[in-house]
Amino acid sequence: MTGPSSETLIEACEHLSARDAALARAFADYGVPAWRTAEPAYATIARMIAFQQITTKAARTIWDRVEAQLGTVCTEAVLGEDEDALRTCGLSRPKIRHLRSIAEAVESGALDLERVHAAEMDEARAELVAVKGIGPWTADLFLMACGRLDAFPAGDVGLMEAYRLLRDHDERMESKAFTTLADSWRPYRGVAAHLLWAWINAERAKNYAADGGG
């Protein structure tokens, strides 16, 4: 699955740079970010659920165990697996309940991810958040993975921290204020998110190397 074209991303980054000095700095420092694409499939949402509210390193370890346990992460495998077996992979009980709830919605047809992929964004988002276990943040991440240029995961701490650093502020903006600010980035809020993620990840990698990798 391919994301937006490089021409589209360049145009979007230039548009954002004209709107916001922090994004202009990120674009000047990093350049055009790679788009995080994923198939409109159950496994994509399942992985997002697994990665929520824990460190990336811990999430990758857990997800590797889940894949090893299930073989293929799909609705049938999750619904057919014993909860204790999923717990031994490192998944919490609430996350297991969410994964099963979403799997049941896909199996019943209440959630059709191909339909979501093709639908208008508001309609697609409404179908996603109607399912127990899929909150607004997860819905927006999924829509971004499907290539929606204006999908935006409001409340994402990484985005708020990147913006704080780019503005050289002592404290992060409140989530509500940051979401309001992001409205000024329409219709490219998703591109702004990718730009902020790319910038802060590059900065962290740079600092890690400067510290000798320790």
Side-chain angles (χ1 to χ4, degrees):
M1 184 175 179
T2 59
S5 69
S6 58
E7 292 81 6
T8 297
L9 290 175
I10 290 170
E11 178 182 338
C13 287
E14 290 175 343
H15 173 89
L16 292 166
S17 296
R19 291 283 187 92
D20 192 299
L23 297 181
R25 178 182 170 189
F27 184 39
D29 287 352
Y30 184 85
V32 179
W35 193 270
R36 302 179 180 185
T37 60
E39 293 298 321
Y42 171 77
T44 297
I45 291 186
R47 187 178 188 275
M48 291 173 179
I49 298 294
F51 271 64
Q52 284 180 6
Q53 298 178 326
I54 56 176
T55 67
T56 300
K57 183 178 180 180
R60 284 174 178 159
T61 298
I62 291 170
W63 188 247
D64 286 346
R65 290 172 183 163
V66 171
E67 290 186 316
Q69 178 70 27
L70 298 180
T72 299
V73 179
C74 60
T75 56
E76 296 91 341
V78 168
L79 292 174
E81 187 56 89
D82 181 73
E83 181 173 333
D84 288 338
L86 293 174
R87 286 278 293 147
T88 62
C89 296
L91 291 170
S92 66
R93 294 193 189 280
K95 286 187 177 182
I96 293 170
R97 288 197 295 271
H98 292 162
L99 292 177
R100 287 187 164 167
S101 171
I102 298 164
E104 289 168 354
V106 171
E107 286 288 300
S108 71
L111 176 61
D112 185 326
L113 294 176
E114 290 290 345
R115 180 172 64 220
V116 165
H117 178 61
E120 292 296 325
M121 194 165 78
D122 288 346
E123 182 182 338
R125 194 173 189 272
E127 180 167 343
L128 287 165
V129 298
V131 177
K132 185 177 180 180
I134 302 179
W137 185 82
T138 303
D140 287 319
L141 277 188
F142 183 79
L143 292 172
M144 289 173 73
C146 291
R148 306 302 178 97
L149 295 178
D150 199 41
F152 187 76
D156 187 279
V157 175
L159 296 181
M160 291 188 286
E161 178 65 7
Y163 196 79
R164 180 190 74 81
L165 293 170
L166 284 161
R167 294 297 300 269
D168 295 319
H169 287 171
D170 292 333
E171 296 183 0
R172 288 197 296 261
M173 296 177 68
E174 293 291 334
S175 177
K176 185 176 180 179
F178 186 69
T179 299
T180 300
L181 168 71
D183 283 338
S184 68
W185 303 337
R186 292 178 183 272
Y188 298 123
R189 290 179 304 165
V191 181
H194 279 79
L195 188 55
L196 291 169
W197 278 326
W199 183 86
I200 196 170
N201 287 337
E203 288 297 301
R204 286 169 174 166
K206 188 192 307 179
N207 293 336
Y208 182 79
D211 291 340

